[in-house]
Amino acid sequence: MMPSNLPALIYHPCYSELTLPERHRYPIDKYRQLYQQLLALNVPAEAFTRPSSASIEQLAICHSPDYINALQDGSLCPKAMRRIGFPWSTALFKRSLQSLGGSLATAQLAMQQGIAIHLTGGYHHAFFAEGSGFCLFNDLVFTAKSMLQQGVEKILIFDLDVHQGDGTAHMVATEPRIISSSIHCEKNFPARKQVSDWDIGVSKDCSDTEYLETVEQSLSTLIRLHQPDLVIYDAGVDCHQADELGLLNLSTETLYQRDLLVLNFCRQQQIPVAAVIGGGYQRNITALVQLHLQLFKAAFTVTGSSLASKIKT
């Protein structure tokens, strides 16, 4: 019998089924290893929801039809593909649609169960008609706009990836029902920042304590001001001290405390949270997975699952 106190978990095997050039910067295998590690911790296989793929018709809610078609048939110009950072393939396009469907399922399950976690997601550098920074389509905006269509009245995108959610900020700038927020390393990619509803660029020497205070004050202020019906939480771990692209110096304990803070606060306010694991860049995938596991440890703690004690910090 499946434990009733687990958060909803969303995963599809295709997240790691993408052949990339040798030594490619993107840690594509982290999704599979994260899933396997959760199984090894005795999370039942039946606890995971395998989501449906988003359709091309659904995708038009937030992306240009011409851009979608060019990615579908491989006709996007080489310069635009270099900006994305992946070589084009049919598998890449299908994986991207599957990831969007997964993030939407995460939000839908969060509305039912309170907390849901997607074992990928956080593609916040994608704009309406272009991709960037390993992001083809913006799953955060796609999910938020789709949930508005399904009757949710106001949504907060709370982005704690180390890089500013520039695509998200630009895409929802004229949608008052979606609040964009980004707490990121100021001196990091993207060089040209966009304007979110709430932006805080922290310095490279930001301490663990200062960072956690910034997160807590930001979240409490945003929820007080906007009273969202759903929080979409990008729990990127690329702000960790060992990240190879992050430039911040946060500890593993701080990642856990950050995620616990966000999930606990929303739980206390009775606001559903749809979390995506976001960015994280290390050649050592085993070490990287341990950082992403902090989100699950925090969620298990909040929901009262004994599995929380099995995850090291």
Side-chain angles (χ1 to χ4, degrees):
M1 185 175 178
M2 191 172 72
S4 59
N5 57 349
L6 287 174
L9 303 171
I10 297 84
Y11 173 73
H12 195 285
C14 81
Y15 296 160
S16 286
E17 293 173 355
L18 182 65
T19 301
L20 295 175
E22 188 177 355
R23 301 294 293 172
H24 192 277
R25 175 65 272 173
Y26 196 80
I28 194 65
D29 200 46
K30 73 176 183 178
Y31 308 108
R32 180 183 63 83
Q33 291 196 31
L34 178 58
Y35 171 70
Q36 291 177 338
Q37 186 60 43
L38 287 166
L39 292 179
L41 292 166
N42 293 326
V43 175
E46 57 268 26
F48 294 88
T49 295
R50 181 176 290 197
S52 301
S53 174
S55 68
I56 292 174
E57 292 74 22
Q58 286 177 302
L59 193 52
I61 196 174
C62 62
H63 286 289
S64 157
D66 288 343
Y67 174 63
I68 297 168
N69 291 337
L71 278 173
Q72 182 181 23
D73 63 20
S75 63
L76 196 67
C77 73
K79 182 179 179 181
M81 283 307 304
R82 285 194 298 272
R83 180 172 170 78
I84 290 172
F86 289 127
W88 182 87
S89 66
T90 300
L92 176 66
F93 183 76
K94 290 182 176 179
R95 177 190 179 276
S96 299
L97 290 182
Q98 189 67 64
S99 297
L100 265 68
S103 288
L104 177 55
T106 304
Q108 293 168 334
L109 287 168
M111 295 298 293
Q112 297 171 19
Q113 296 180 222
I115 298 175
I117 306 177
H118 192 196
L119 273 69
T120 187
Y123 300 108
H124 58 178
H125 297 309
F127 288 73
F128 173 70
E130 65 179 307
S132 174
F134 305 132
C135 304
L136 280 73
F137 303 121
N138 194 312
D139 64 307
L140 306 179
V141 175
F142 170 78
T143 297
K145 288 195 171 186
S146 298
M147 294 304 289
L148 290 179
Q149 284 190 337
Q150 294 177 24
V152 178
E153 294 183 359
K154 183 164 280 191
I155 298 168
L156 169 63
I157 298 177
F158 194 60
D159 191 338
L160 299 186
D161 192 277
V162 79
H163 306 108
Q164 194 215 27
D166 54 339
T168 301
H170 192 266
M171 290 176 74
V172 303
T174 59
E175 176 48 84
R177 296 173 296 172
I178 302 174
I179 309 304
S180 62
S181 63
S182 181
I183 301 173
H184 51 269
C185 179
E186 180 63 26
K187 303 299 183 182
N188 204 328
F189 179 88
R192 181 186 177 189
K193 305 294 192 290
Q194 299 294 324
V195 180
S196 308
D197 293 300
W198 181 276
D199 276 308
I200 295 183
V202 300
S203 65
K204 293 181 181 180
D205 59 356
C206 178
S207 69
D208 288 30
T209 300
E210 180 185 357
Y211 179 79
L212 289 174
E213 288 175 350
T214 299
V215 170
E216 181 176 23
Q217 292 169 7
S218 297
L219 183 60
S220 61
T221 300
L222 286 162
I223 286 180
R224 186 180 73 250
L225 289 176
H226 299 287
Q227 296 293 305
D229 304 296
L230 170 68
V231 171
I232 299 176
Y233 174 39
D234 186 342
V237 300
D238 39 12
C239 47
H240 187 264
Q241 58 197 10
D243 196 86
E244 293 158 14
L245 300 179
L247 304 182
L248 288 185
N249 195 36
L250 304 181
S251 67
T252 305
E253 173 68 26
T254 296
L255 291 182
Y256 168 65
Q257 293 298 333
R258 177 198 70 176
D259 295 341
L260 187 62
L261 185 162
V262 172
L263 298 180
N264 250 334
F265 191 87
C266 292
R267 181 87 155 196
Q268 291 165 4
Q269 301 295 316
Q270 298 183 316
I271 302 171
V273 182
V276 300
I277 67 168
Y281 304 92
Q282 289 189 51
R283 300 288 183 189
N284 185 338
I285 302 293
T286 301
L288 178 56
V289 165
Q290 191 60 38
L291 302 182
H292 283 300
L293 281 171
Q294 301 310 306
L295 173 62
F296 297 85
K297 180 177 182 178
F300 295 160
T301 300
V302 171
T303 60
S305 171
S306 61
L307 292 177
S309 63
K310 296 187 176 184
I311 300 175
K312 298 178 182 178
T313 295

